[in-house]
Amino acid sequence: MSFESLGLAPALLRALAEQGYSEPTPIQAGAIPVVLEGHDLLAAAQTGTGKTAAFSLPLLQRMSGSAPSGTRRPRALILTPTRELAAQIHDNLRDYGKHLRVSSAVIFGGVSMGPQMQALRRGVDIVIATPGRLVDHMQQRTIDLSGIEVLVLDEADRMLDMGFLPPLKRIVGALPKRRQTLLFSATFAPEIKSLAMQFMQSPREVSVTPANSVATTVSHQVHPVDAPRKRDLLLHVLSKDSRRQTLVFSRTKHGADKLVRFLEQSGLRAAAIHGNKSQNARTRALADFKNGRITVLVATDIAARGIDIDQLPIVINYDLPMVAEDYVHRIGRTGRAGAEGVALSLVSHEESGLLRDIRKLLNQDIAILEVPGFELSSPLRLDAHAPRPKQGQRQQQRPQRQGGSSHRPHAHVQHNNGGEHAMGNRKRHSRGRRPAAKA
Ligand code: AMP
C-alpha cells in the first residue's frame, strides 16, 4: 500500500516523502480514500496510530482546491480537547501542507484573544480550536462559521469526558448543515454513537484493531515500587545478569534519555531509541544491541514498533503504557517461537489503574512480587478507583516502518448500516468523568 494509491496530490506526496513516511498506517489507508470521496467518517483510532495525518491529508487536499470566490471565511474547523493537541495538529498541517497554499490558525484558551482575532480577520482556510475558546470567539462575533465545509472532531471521547458536550452542540449548531463531518475517537462508546447520530450523515466507519494475542510462554511479573525508587530497582534487576540483553520501555522520550544517562553513569551499556533520534542513531543503537555492544535498549512504544528484534529473554516496562493494548505490543518481543520469556513491569501507585486495565485485557493474573529492600509504603490498589497517571503530552513520534511487526494493527472499513459495530479489542481504558473544563 502506498500514499500514491490513496489518491493524494503530488504536493502532499512530496511533503510526506520529506517527512520520511514511506507507507500509510492502517488508519490512513482506511480513512483517506473515504474522506477524499466526501463521505462522513466515524473513525476509531487513538493517538499514535497516525490519525492526525489520516484527516489532515485529505483535508488539505480539499482545501487546496479553489475557494468560493472572495471568501475569507474559514472552510474547515478542527475541534480538539486540549491546547497541546491543537498546537500539534497545527504543526502537522503546516508540515504536510508546506507545498500547498492553505492557511491555518489555531485558537485555544489561556492566551490572549487578540492575535487569534487578527489571524481570523486576515482570513484562514482551516481553524483548529478547543471548544471553550471557540465559543468565546463566537460570542464576540470574531469568527464566522458560515463557510465551514468540513468539521473534524478529534478525540471526541475525550472532549465528552472533559464536559465539552454543551459547547460542541452550540458550535455544531452554528455550522452549515451541508458539510462533511469526520469524527475520531478511541472507542465507539454509546455516547460517541449518539454524537455521530446527531452530527453526521450516514458515516462510513473505520477502526483500527490490533492483534491482542500474547504468547502463552510469557510469564507476567510485577515489581511494585515507589516511583522515586524505580530507577534503583531497575538497576538492581539489570545488575543480576549484566550480560543479558534487555529491552526496557519508557513512556516518554525524555524519560528514555534520562534513564539511559542514569544507567550509563551506573556502568551499564545502554542506548535509547525514540522519535527524536535520527534514523542513523536509531539504526546504530539497534545494531549495537543486536551485536551485544550494548546490553540495555530503552525504547518508547512507537519507536519500538516495527523494529526487528524478538526472542528476548526479558522485556521490562519501566513505565506502564497509558493504553493497555500497548503492553501487548511491547511484550510481543519476548516468549516468541515457543521460547520462555519474562515481561516484568515496575509499577508505582500512580500506575495501579493501568495495571488493572492490563490484567483485564490479558484476562490473566500477573504475579506481584515485592523485591526485598524496595517494598512499597502501602500495597498497590487494584480496585475500580485505582489511580492512573495524568494523560501527559502525547508522544510526538513517528512509527518506524522498516521490518514487519506481527502486531501491526489493521483497519476495517465498513458502511454504517445502523447495526452495532464490533470494535474489536481496541478499547481505551475508561477514564473517570472529569469536571467540565474550559480549554
Ligand atoms: P498520531 O496518531 O497522529 O498522533 O501520529 C503519531 C505519529 O506518527 C506522529 O509523530 C506522526 O508524525 C507519525 N506518522 C503519522 N503517519 C505516519 C506514517 N505514515 N509513517 C510514519 N510515521 C507517521
Side-chain angles (χ1 to χ4, degrees), residues 8 15 33 95 223 251 309 378 382 425:
L8 291 173
D95 286 341
H223 286 342
R251 208 156 45 216
I309 25 169
S378 59
L382 293 171
N425 300 318

Side-chain angles (χ1 to χ4, degrees), residues 3 21 23 28 47-52 394 397-399 401:
F3 281 113
Y21 300 178
E23 57 174 297
Q28 292 162 4
T47 296
T49 54
K51 70 178 169 65
T52 313
R394 66 205 207 120
Q397 304 174 343
R398 62 181 69 137
R401 300 254 148 235

Side-chain angles (χ1 to χ4, degrees), residues 44-294:
Q46 45 200 204
T47 296
T49 54
K51 70 178 169 65
T52 313
F55 63 76
S56 299
L57 294 168
L59 184 63
L60 283 163
Q61 179 139 328
R62 176 161 178 174
M63 294 297 117
S64 66
S66 56
S69 58
T71 188
R72 303 189 64 190
R73 295 173 303 179
R75 299 171 60 200
L77 174 64
I78 302 172
L79 292 174
T80 191
T82 67
R83 303 166 204 195
E84 289 77 19
L85 279 170
Q88 178 65 37
I89 294 169
H90 193 216
D91 286 348
N92 285 0
L93 283 171
R94 277 201 288 226
D95 286 341
Y96 304 145
K98 67 198 250 205
H99 304 301
L100 295 171
R101 290 171 64 89
V102 176
S103 57
S104 53
V106 64
I107 281 179
F108 51 65
V111 294
S112 84
M113 289 182 74
Q116 299 175 355
M117 289 176 181
Q118 279 160 20
L120 292 170
R121 254 201 309 274
R122 277 197 300 274
V124 289
D125 300 306
I126 304 177
V127 170
I128 309 120
T130 52
R133 177 53 69 94
L134 183 63
V135 167
D136 293 344
H137 279 280
M138 288 166 66
Q139 272 162 349
Q140 302 207 17
R141 298 185 190 285
T142 44
I143 190 162
D144 177 356
L145 295 175
S146 62
I148 296 295
E149 299 163 31
V150 185
L151 167 68
V152 181
L153 299 164
D154 180 42
E155 307 225 346
D157 49 345
R158 213 164 145 198
M159 288 202 276
L160 294 186
D161 277 356
M162 288 172 74
F164 282 142
L165 185 59
L168 280 183
K169 283 188 167 159
R170 185 152 169 200
I171 294 163
V172 175
L175 302 178
K177 291 253 169 326
R178 238 177 77 93
R179 59 162 198 272
Q180 185 180 20
T181 304
L182 318 175
L183 185 153
F184 285 76
S185 165
T187 69
F188 288 161
E191 308 89 83
I192 296 296
K193 286 273 187 186
S194 127
L195 205 62
M197 297 269 282
Q198 293 174 57
F199 294 168
M200 307 174 86
Q201 283 179 357
S202 30
R204 301 289 164 85
E205 293 184 5
V206 176
S207 66
V208 187
T209 54
N212 270 339
S213 59
V214 174
T216 50
T217 48
V218 174
S219 135
H220 304 270
Q221 301 176 3
V222 163
H223 286 342
V225 61
D226 289 318
R229 303 216 55 210
K230 257 195 188 183
R231 52 186 223 169
D232 291 328
L233 176 57
L234 178 68
L235 192 60
H236 174 81
V237 172
L238 293 173
S239 314
K240 276 200 252 170
D241 184 352
S242 57
R243 280 162 314 170
R244 185 170 61 175
Q245 300 296 106
T246 309
L247 179 61
V248 176
F249 280 96
S250 155
R251 208 156 45 216
T252 65
K253 296 178 273 196
H254 180 63
D257 285 335
K258 251 174 55 183
L259 203 52
V260 165
R261 279 198 299 276
F262 169 74
L263 294 173
E264 282 177 337
Q265 279 159 11
S266 313
L268 290 174
R269 284 168 297 141
I273 50 168
H274 56 62
N276 282 3
K277 298 261 176 191
S278 68
Q279 188 62 48
N280 269 347
R282 285 185 281 186
T283 310
R284 196 167 32 196
L286 196 58
D288 284 349
F289 186 61
K290 283 185 179 173
N291 66 27
R293 280 176 51 125
I294 60 166

